[in-house]
mmCIF file of all heavy atoms in Angstrom:
data_model
loop_
_atom_site.group_PDB
_atom_site.id
_atom_site.type_symbol
_atom_site.label_atom_id
_atom_site.label_comp_id
_atom_site.label_asym_id
_atom_site.label_seq_id
_atom_site.Cartn_x
_atom_site.Cartn_y
_atom_site.Cartn_z
ATOM 1 N N PHE I 34 24.379 -9.829 50.792
ATOM 2 C CA PHE I 34 25.029 -10.513 51.889
ATOM 3 C C PHE I 34 26.186 -11.379 51.346
ATOM 4 O O PHE I 34 26.147 -11.832 50.221
ATOM 5 C CB PHE I 34 24.059 -11.466 52.619
ATOM 6 C CG PHE I 34 22.779 -10.820 53.133
ATOM 7 C CD1 PHE I 34 21.736 -10.510 52.283
ATOM 8 C CD2 PHE I 34 22.668 -10.533 54.484
ATOM 9 C CE1 PHE I 34 20.580 -9.906 52.761
ATOM 10 C CE2 PHE I 34 21.490 -9.960 54.975
ATOM 11 C CZ PHE I 34 20.476 -9.653 54.110
ATOM 12 N N TYR I 36 28.044 -14.846 52.837
ATOM 13 C CA TYR I 36 28.081 -15.895 53.855
ATOM 14 C C TYR I 36 29.284 -16.800 53.562
ATOM 15 O O TYR I 36 29.651 -16.997 52.408
ATOM 16 C CB TYR I 36 26.809 -16.748 53.844
ATOM 17 C CG TYR I 36 25.587 -16.092 54.414
ATOM 18 C CD1 TYR I 36 24.764 -15.309 53.657
ATOM 19 C CD2 TYR I 36 25.251 -16.303 55.762
ATOM 20 C CE1 TYR I 36 23.618 -14.730 54.175
ATOM 21 C CE2 TYR I 36 24.095 -15.724 56.306
ATOM 22 C CZ TYR I 36 23.291 -14.949 55.497
ATOM 23 O OH TYR I 36 22.148 -14.384 56.041
ATOM 24 N N GLY I 43 27.110 -25.189 58.684
ATOM 25 C CA GLY I 43 26.133 -24.242 58.171
ATOM 26 C C GLY I 43 26.797 -22.976 57.658
ATOM 27 O O GLY I 43 28.025 -22.893 57.543
ATOM 28 N N LEU I 44 25.990 -21.983 57.334
ATOM 29 C CA LEU I 44 26.515 -20.735 56.803
ATOM 30 C C LEU I 44 26.656 -19.700 57.913
ATOM 31 O O LEU I 44 25.766 -19.536 58.741
ATOM 32 C CB LEU I 44 25.569 -20.199 55.719
ATOM 33 C CG LEU I 44 25.731 -20.757 54.323
ATOM 34 C CD1 LEU I 44 25.356 -22.221 54.275
ATOM 35 C CD2 LEU I 44 24.923 -19.946 53.331
ATOM 36 N N GLN I 45 27.756 -18.965 57.857
ATOM 37 C CA GLN I 45 28.000 -17.908 58.809
ATOM 38 C C GLN I 45 27.969 -16.576 58.080
ATOM 39 O O GLN I 45 28.611 -16.414 57.037
ATOM 40 C CB GLN I 45 29.358 -18.101 59.494
ATOM 41 C CG GLN I 45 29.681 -17.038 60.510
ATOM 42 C CD GLN I 45 31.076 -17.199 61.110
ATOM 43 O OE1 GLN I 45 31.942 -17.868 60.544
ATOM 44 N NE2 GLN I 45 31.304 -16.596 62.244
ATOM 45 N N LEU I 46 27.261 -15.609 58.623
ATOM 46 C CA LEU I 46 27.177 -14.293 58.014
ATOM 47 C C LEU I 46 28.511 -13.567 58.170
ATOM 48 O O LEU I 46 29.013 -13.403 59.273
ATOM 49 C CB LEU I 46 26.067 -13.482 58.690
ATOM 50 C CG LEU I 46 25.881 -12.060 58.175
ATOM 51 C CD1 LEU I 46 25.408 -12.051 56.725
ATOM 52 C CD2 LEU I 46 24.871 -11.303 59.051
ATOM 53 N N LEU I 47 29.059 -13.137 57.017
ATOM 54 C CA LEU I 47 30.287 -12.345 57.041
ATOM 55 C C LEU I 47 29.969 -10.850 57.114
ATOM 56 O O LEU I 47 30.569 -10.126 57.894
ATOM 57 C CB LEU I 47 31.107 -12.584 55.750
ATOM 58 C CG LEU I 47 31.980 -13.833 55.688
ATOM 59 C CD1 LEU I 47 32.647 -13.881 54.320
ATOM 60 C CD2 LEU I 47 33.021 -13.847 56.793
ATOM 61 N N LYS I 49 26.862 -7.624 55.532
ATOM 62 C CA LYS I 49 25.663 -7.355 54.751
ATOM 63 C C LYS I 49 25.586 -5.872 54.367
ATOM 64 O O LYS I 49 26.093 -5.003 55.100
ATOM 65 C CB LYS I 49 24.398 -7.730 55.539
ATOM 66 C CG LYS I 49 24.199 -6.956 56.820
ATOM 67 C CD LYS I 49 22.936 -7.446 57.534
ATOM 68 C CE LYS I 49 22.742 -6.711 58.847
ATOM 69 N NZ LYS I 49 21.531 -7.174 59.571
ATOM 70 N N PHE I 103 15.805 -15.551 49.724
ATOM 71 C CA PHE I 103 17.176 -15.228 49.412
ATOM 72 C C PHE I 103 17.510 -15.854 48.057
ATOM 73 O O PHE I 103 17.149 -16.996 47.772
ATOM 74 C CB PHE I 103 18.120 -15.815 50.445
ATOM 75 C CG PHE I 103 18.442 -14.911 51.608
ATOM 76 C CD1 PHE I 103 17.771 -13.727 51.793
ATOM 77 C CD2 PHE I 103 19.445 -15.235 52.490
ATOM 78 C CE1 PHE I 103 18.089 -12.877 52.859
ATOM 79 C CE2 PHE I 103 19.778 -14.409 53.559
ATOM 80 C CZ PHE I 103 19.105 -13.235 53.732
ATOM 81 N N GLY L 1 25.055 -13.438 69.770
ATOM 82 C CA GLY L 1 23.621 -13.569 69.567
ATOM 83 C C GLY L 1 23.277 -14.196 68.247
ATOM 84 O O GLY L 1 24.155 -14.536 67.465
ATOM 85 N N ALA L 2 21.978 -14.401 67.973
ATOM 86 C CA ALA L 2 21.453 -14.905 66.718
ATOM 87 C C ALA L 2 22.008 -16.279 66.392
ATOM 88 O O ALA L 2 22.614 -16.498 65.336
ATOM 89 C CB ALA L 2 21.720 -13.929 65.577
ATOM 90 N N VAL L 3 21.820 -17.196 67.307
ATOM 91 C CA VAL L 3 22.298 -18.564 67.127
ATOM 92 C C VAL L 3 21.113 -19.473 66.767
ATOM 93 O O VAL L 3 20.058 -19.413 67.382
ATOM 94 C CB VAL L 3 22.973 -19.082 68.408
ATOM 95 C CG1 VAL L 3 23.421 -20.531 68.219
ATOM 96 C CG2 VAL L 3 24.154 -18.197 68.773
ATOM 97 N N VAL L 4 21.360 -20.302 65.750
ATOM 98 C CA VAL L 4 20.371 -21.276 65.340
ATOM 99 C C VAL L 4 20.978 -22.659 65.468
ATOM 100 O O VAL L 4 22.100 -22.909 65.013
ATOM 101 C CB VAL L 4 19.959 -21.019 63.880
ATOM 102 C CG1 VAL L 4 18.989 -22.115 63.396
ATOM 103 C CG2 VAL L 4 19.300 -19.656 63.744
ATOM 104 N N SER L 5 20.253 -23.551 66.091
ATOM 105 C CA SER L 5 20.725 -24.930 66.255
ATOM 106 C C SER L 5 19.865 -25.876 65.428
ATOM 107 O O SER L 5 18.703 -25.591 65.129
ATOM 108 C CB SER L 5 20.735 -25.340 67.731
ATOM 109 O OG SER L 5 19.387 -25.489 68.172
ATOM 110 N N GLN L 6 20.488 -26.985 65.083
ATOM 111 C CA GLN L 6 19.748 -28.061 64.408
ATOM 112 C C GLN L 6 20.060 -29.368 65.100
ATOM 113 O O GLN L 6 21.189 -29.609 65.569
ATOM 114 C CB GLN L 6 20.188 -28.170 62.924
ATOM 115 C CG GLN L 6 19.477 -27.241 62.004
ATOM 116 C CD GLN L 6 19.860 -27.437 60.564
ATOM 117 O OE1 GLN L 6 20.494 -26.571 59.961
ATOM 118 N NE2 GLN L 6 19.465 -28.567 59.977
ATOM 119 N N CYS L 23 14.857 -27.443 64.128
ATOM 120 C CA CYS L 23 15.584 -26.176 63.943
ATOM 121 C C CYS L 23 15.115 -25.221 65.019
ATOM 122 O O CYS L 23 13.908 -24.958 65.112
ATOM 123 C CB CYS L 23 15.309 -25.606 62.548
ATOM 124 S SG CYS L 23 16.082 -24.020 62.241
ATOM 125 N N ARG L 24 16.052 -24.741 65.824
ATOM 126 C CA ARG L 24 15.695 -23.841 66.912
ATOM 127 C C ARG L 24 16.462 -22.541 66.867
ATOM 128 O O ARG L 24 17.697 -22.545 66.617
ATOM 129 C CB ARG L 24 15.981 -24.499 68.277
ATOM 130 C CG ARG L 24 15.128 -25.718 68.579
ATOM 131 C CD ARG L 24 15.470 -26.280 69.967
ATOM 132 N NE ARG L 24 14.719 -27.503 70.222
ATOM 133 C CZ ARG L 24 13.522 -27.535 70.756
ATOM 134 N NH1 ARG L 24 12.906 -26.410 71.121
ATOM 135 N NH2 ARG L 24 12.904 -28.682 70.969
ATOM 136 N N SER L 25 15.780 -21.430 67.096
ATOM 137 C CA SER L 25 16.457 -20.170 67.315
ATOM 138 C C SER L 25 16.676 -20.039 68.812
ATOM 139 O O SER L 25 15.717 -20.094 69.574
ATOM 140 C CB SER L 25 15.617 -19.003 66.763
ATOM 141 O OG SER L 25 14.337 -18.971 67.363
ATOM 142 N N LEU L 26 17.911 -19.906 69.229
ATOM 143 C CA LEU L 26 18.244 -20.033 70.658
ATOM 144 C C LEU L 26 18.080 -18.727 71.450
ATOM 145 O O LEU L 26 17.790 -18.759 72.613
ATOM 146 C CB LEU L 26 19.662 -20.558 70.819
ATOM 147 C CG LEU L 26 19.916 -21.952 70.242
ATOM 148 C CD1 LEU L 26 21.327 -22.415 70.575
ATOM 149 C CD2 LEU L 26 18.895 -22.947 70.765
ATOM 150 N N ASP L 27 18.296 -17.595 70.794
ATOM 151 C CA ASP L 27 18.293 -16.346 71.551
ATOM 152 C C ASP L 27 17.471 -15.257 70.867
ATOM 153 O O ASP L 27 17.661 -14.079 71.147
ATOM 154 C CB ASP L 27 19.724 -15.867 71.782
ATOM 155 C CG ASP L 27 20.545 -15.876 70.522
ATOM 156 O OD1 ASP L 27 19.981 -16.197 69.445
ATOM 157 O OD2 ASP L 27 21.737 -15.600 70.588
ATOM 158 N N PHE L 28 16.572 -15.663 69.988
ATOM 159 C CA PHE L 28 15.683 -14.693 69.353
ATOM 160 C C PHE L 28 14.436 -15.415 68.908
ATOM 161 O O PHE L 28 14.420 -16.640 68.760
ATOM 162 C CB PHE L 28 16.369 -13.965 68.190
ATOM 163 C CG PHE L 28 16.757 -14.863 67.037
ATOM 164 C CD1 PHE L 28 15.943 -14.939 65.901
ATOM 165 C CD2 PHE L 28 17.924 -15.612 67.054
ATOM 166 C CE1 PHE L 28 16.321 -15.748 64.839
ATOM 167 C CE2 PHE L 28 18.291 -16.427 66.010
ATOM 168 C CZ PHE L 28 17.480 -16.492 64.888
ATOM 169 N N GLN L 29 13.415 -14.644 68.641
ATOM 170 C CA GLN L 29 12.157 -15.184 68.150
ATOM 171 C C GLN L 29 12.153 -15.120 66.627
ATOM 172 O O GLN L 29 12.577 -14.128 66.044
ATOM 173 C CB GLN L 29 10.962 -14.425 68.721
ATOM 174 C CG GLN L 29 10.795 -14.616 70.205
ATOM 175 C CD GLN L 29 9.562 -13.913 70.744
ATOM 176 O OE1 GLN L 29 9.096 -12.954 70.154
ATOM 177 N NE2 GLN L 29 9.031 -14.408 71.860
ATOM 178 N N ALA L 30 11.684 -16.181 66.023
ATOM 179 C CA ALA L 30 11.707 -16.281 64.569
ATOM 180 C C ALA L 30 10.311 -16.602 64.052
ATOM 181 O O ALA L 30 9.880 -17.743 64.116
ATOM 182 C CB ALA L 30 12.695 -17.330 64.127
ATOM 183 N N THR L 32 9.606 -16.434 61.010
ATOM 184 C CA THR L 32 9.815 -17.112 59.726
ATOM 185 C C THR L 32 11.112 -17.904 59.790
ATOM 186 O O THR L 32 12.152 -17.371 60.175
ATOM 187 C CB THR L 32 9.882 -16.100 58.561
ATOM 188 O OG1 THR L 32 8.692 -15.313 58.577
ATOM 189 C CG2 THR L 32 10.011 -16.817 57.241
ATOM 190 N N MET L 33 11.029 -19.135 59.377
ATOM 191 C CA MET L 33 12.200 -19.990 59.221
ATOM 192 C C MET L 33 12.182 -20.574 57.810
ATOM 193 O O MET L 33 11.149 -20.650 57.170
ATOM 194 C CB MET L 33 12.230 -21.099 60.268
ATOM 195 C CG MET L 33 12.436 -20.603 61.686
ATOM 196 S SD MET L 33 12.551 -21.975 62.858
ATOM 197 C CE MET L 33 13.070 -21.144 64.337
ATOM 198 N N PHE L 34 13.354 -20.979 57.358
ATOM 199 C CA PHE L 34 13.489 -21.480 56.008
ATOM 200 C C PHE L 34 14.191 -22.840 56.050
ATOM 201 O O PHE L 34 15.085 -23.071 56.869
ATOM 202 C CB PHE L 34 14.321 -20.526 55.138
ATOM 203 C CG PHE L 34 13.766 -19.114 55.114
ATOM 204 C CD1 PHE L 34 14.104 -18.200 56.085
ATOM 205 C CD2 PHE L 34 12.948 -18.728 54.076
ATOM 206 C CE1 PHE L 34 13.593 -16.900 56.061
ATOM 207 C CE2 PHE L 34 12.437 -17.436 54.036
ATOM 208 C CZ PHE L 34 12.760 -16.528 55.021
ATOM 209 N N TYR L 36 16.420 -25.429 53.634
ATOM 210 C CA TYR L 36 17.203 -25.543 52.407
ATOM 211 C C TYR L 36 17.753 -26.965 52.302
ATOM 212 O O TYR L 36 17.945 -27.670 53.286
ATOM 213 C CB TYR L 36 18.393 -24.576 52.416
ATOM 214 C CG TYR L 36 18.025 -23.114 52.393
ATOM 215 C CD1 TYR L 36 17.786 -22.430 53.567
ATOM 216 C CD2 TYR L 36 17.998 -22.403 51.208
ATOM 217 C CE1 TYR L 36 17.492 -21.069 53.580
ATOM 218 C CE2 TYR L 36 17.706 -21.050 51.169
ATOM 219 C CZ TYR L 36 17.466 -20.397 52.370
ATOM 220 O OH TYR L 36 17.160 -19.034 52.348
ATOM 221 N N ILE L 93 19.693 -27.712 55.651
ATOM 222 C CA ILE L 93 20.081 -26.568 56.455
ATOM 223 C C ILE L 93 18.847 -25.702 56.694
ATOM 224 O O ILE L 93 18.081 -25.424 55.758
ATOM 225 C CB ILE L 93 21.146 -25.703 55.752
ATOM 226 C CG1 ILE L 93 22.380 -26.544 55.418
ATOM 227 C CG2 ILE L 93 21.556 -24.520 56.610
ATOM 228 C CD1 ILE L 93 23.448 -25.772 54.637
ATOM 229 N N CYS L 94 18.662 -25.278 57.924
ATOM 230 C CA CYS L 94 17.557 -24.354 58.206
ATOM 231 C C CYS L 94 18.142 -22.958 58.478
ATOM 232 O O CYS L 94 19.316 -22.814 58.805
ATOM 233 C CB CYS L 94 16.725 -24.826 59.386
ATOM 234 S SG CYS L 94 17.541 -24.598 60.991
ATOM 235 N N SER L 95 17.316 -21.981 58.344
ATOM 236 C CA SER L 95 17.697 -20.629 58.745
ATOM 237 C C SER L 95 16.497 -19.975 59.402
ATOM 238 O O SER L 95 15.364 -20.419 59.247
ATOM 239 C CB SER L 95 18.151 -19.797 57.552
ATOM 240 O OG SER L 95 17.064 -19.479 56.714
ATOM 241 N N ALA L 96 16.760 -18.925 60.134
ATOM 242 C CA ALA L 96 15.710 -18.216 60.859
ATOM 243 C C ALA L 96 15.937 -16.723 60.709
ATOM 244 O O ALA L 96 17.060 -16.246 60.695
ATOM 245 C CB ALA L 96 15.715 -18.620 62.343
ATOM 246 N N ARG L 97 14.822 -16.022 60.611
ATOM 247 C CA ARG L 97 14.901 -14.568 60.516
ATOM 248 C C ARG L 97 14.324 -13.984 61.808
ATOM 249 O O ARG L 97 13.223 -14.333 62.205
ATOM 250 C CB ARG L 97 14.105 -14.077 59.314
ATOM 251 C CG ARG L 97 14.454 -12.688 58.859
ATOM 252 C CD ARG L 97 13.796 -12.355 57.529
ATOM 253 N NE ARG L 97 12.363 -12.238 57.677
ATOM 254 C CZ ARG L 97 11.512 -12.496 56.680
ATOM 255 N NH1 ARG L 97 11.955 -12.894 55.508
ATOM 256 N NH2 ARG L 97 10.224 -12.367 56.854
ATOM 257 N N ASP L 98 15.083 -13.140 62.444
ATOM 258 C CA ASP L 98 14.646 -12.496 63.683
ATOM 259 C C ASP L 98 13.362 -11.692 63.416
ATOM 260 O O ASP L 98 13.304 -10.887 62.505
ATOM 261 C CB ASP L 98 15.781 -11.569 64.174
ATOM 262 C CG ASP L 98 15.522 -11.033 65.573
ATOM 263 O OD1 ASP L 98 14.349 -10.873 65.957
ATOM 264 O OD2 ASP L 98 16.485 -10.760 66.287
ATOM 265 N N SER L 99 12.369 -11.947 64.229
ATOM 266 C CA SER L 99 11.084 -11.263 64.043
ATOM 267 C C SER L 99 11.209 -9.747 64.120
ATOM 268 O O SER L 99 10.401 -9.023 63.555
ATOM 269 C CB SER L 99 10.089 -11.719 65.122
ATOM 270 O OG SER L 99 9.851 -13.093 65.037
ATOM 271 N N PHE L 100 12.222 -9.254 64.825
ATOM 272 C CA PHE L 100 12.405 -7.816 64.988
ATOM 273 C C PHE L 100 13.693 -7.325 64.323
ATOM 274 O O PHE L 100 14.115 -6.202 64.567
ATOM 275 C CB PHE L 100 12.424 -7.474 66.479
ATOM 276 C CG PHE L 100 11.196 -7.903 67.191
ATOM 277 C CD1 PHE L 100 11.201 -9.078 67.936
ATOM 278 C CD2 PHE L 100 10.024 -7.194 67.111
ATOM 279 C CE1 PHE L 100 10.061 -9.511 68.605
ATOM 280 C CE2 PHE L 100 8.876 -7.605 67.778
ATOM 281 C CZ PHE L 100 8.904 -8.782 68.511
ATOM 282 N N GLY L 101 14.312 -8.143 63.517
ATOM 283 C CA GLY L 101 15.659 -7.815 63.058
ATOM 284 C C GLY L 101 15.883 -7.735 61.574
ATOM 285 O O GLY L 101 16.986 -7.877 61.131
ATOM 286 N N GLY L 102 14.838 -7.487 60.781
ATOM 287 C CA GLY L 102 15.060 -7.260 59.348
ATOM 288 C C GLY L 102 15.230 -8.521 58.532
ATOM 289 O O GLY L 102 14.718 -9.576 58.861
ATOM 290 N N GLU L 103 15.986 -8.390 57.445
ATOM 291 C CA GLU L 103 16.020 -9.440 56.419
ATOM 292 C C GLU L 103 17.056 -10.545 56.676
ATOM 293 O O GLU L 103 16.972 -11.593 56.068
ATOM 294 C CB GLU L 103 16.381 -8.796 55.083
ATOM 295 C CG GLU L 103 15.438 -7.720 54.629
ATOM 296 C CD GLU L 103 15.992 -6.997 53.426
ATOM 297 O OE1 GLU L 103 15.878 -7.539 52.322
ATOM 298 O OE2 GLU L 103 16.573 -5.921 53.605
ATOM 299 N N THR L 104 18.004 -10.293 57.537
ATOM 300 C CA THR L 104 19.113 -11.247 57.693
ATOM 301 C C THR L 104 18.600 -12.605 58.129
ATOM 302 O O THR L 104 17.765 -12.714 59.022
ATOM 303 C CB THR L 104 20.121 -10.735 58.726
ATOM 304 O OG1 THR L 104 20.591 -9.447 58.310
ATOM 305 C CG2 THR L 104 21.307 -11.697 58.831
ATOM 306 N N GLN L 105 19.084 -13.640 57.483
ATOM 307 C CA GLN L 105 18.781 -15.009 57.872
ATOM 308 C C GLN L 105 20.007 -15.566 58.590
ATOM 309 O O GLN L 105 21.134 -15.425 58.109
ATOM 310 C CB GLN L 105 18.462 -15.873 56.631
ATOM 311 C CG GLN L 105 17.153 -15.521 55.975
ATOM 312 C CD GLN L 105 16.823 -16.414 54.809
ATOM 313 O OE1 GLN L 105 17.229 -17.574 54.769
ATOM 314 N NE2 GLN L 105 16.065 -15.883 53.855
ATOM 315 N N TYR L 106 19.764 -16.222 59.703
ATOM 316 C CA TYR L 106 20.807 -16.870 60.487
ATOM 317 C C TYR L 106 20.648 -18.369 60.315
ATOM 318 O O TYR L 106 19.567 -18.920 60.485
ATOM 319 C CB TYR L 106 20.688 -16.471 61.952
ATOM 320 C CG TYR L 106 20.844 -14.970 62.141
ATOM 321 C CD1 TYR L 106 19.719 -14.152 62.244
ATOM 322 C CD2 TYR L 106 22.085 -14.373 62.165
ATOM 323 C CE1 TYR L 106 19.840 -12.770 62.388
ATOM 324 C CE2 TYR L 106 22.223 -13.003 62.312
ATOM 325 C CZ TYR L 106 21.091 -12.192 62.411
ATOM 326 O OH TYR L 106 21.231 -10.832 62.539
ATOM 327 N N PHE L 107 21.756 -19.003 59.942
ATOM 328 C CA PHE L 107 21.695 -20.396 59.517
ATOM 329 C C PHE L 107 22.104 -21.345 60.626
ATOM 330 O O PHE L 107 22.986 -21.078 61.434
ATOM 331 C CB PHE L 107 22.594 -20.612 58.304
ATOM 332 C CG PHE L 107 22.028 -20.002 57.062
ATOM 333 C CD1 PHE L 107 22.188 -18.660 56.776
ATOM 334 C CD2 PHE L 107 21.349 -20.801 56.138
ATOM 335 C CE1 PHE L 107 21.640 -18.106 55.625
ATOM 336 C CE2 PHE L 107 20.806 -20.258 54.992
ATOM 337 C CZ PHE L 107 20.964 -18.901 54.725
ATOM 338 N N GLY L 108 21.459 -22.508 60.605
ATOM 339 C CA GLY L 108 21.846 -23.573 61.498
ATOM 340 C C GLY L 108 23.068 -24.305 60.936
ATOM 341 O O GLY L 108 23.490 -24.059 59.790
ATOM 342 N N PRO L 109 23.615 -25.234 61.699
ATOM 343 C CA PRO L 109 24.832 -25.945 61.282
ATOM 344 C C PRO L 109 24.573 -27.034 60.284
ATOM 345 O O PRO L 109 25.518 -27.629 59.744
ATOM 346 C CB PRO L 109 25.386 -26.506 62.591
ATOM 347 C CG PRO L 109 24.185 -26.677 63.441
ATOM 348 C CD PRO L 109 23.256 -25.546 63.075
#
Side-chain angles (χ1 to χ4, degrees):
Chain I
F34 304 77
Y36 285 87
L44 277 67
Q45 180 184 19
L46 178 66
L47 279 179
K49 62 181 178 181
F103 268 11
Chain L
V3 177
V4 175
S5 70
Q6 276 184 248
C23 177
R24 294 182 185 272
S25 57
L26 298 185
D27 49 4
F28 64 99
Q29 293 182 336
T32 304
M33 291 184 172
F34 304 86
Y36 295 86
I93 304 176
C94 74
S95 71
R97 199 171 68 209
D98 190 330
S99 299
F100 303 99
E103 303 170 79
T104 303
Q105 291 182 28
Y106 300 97
F107 288 81

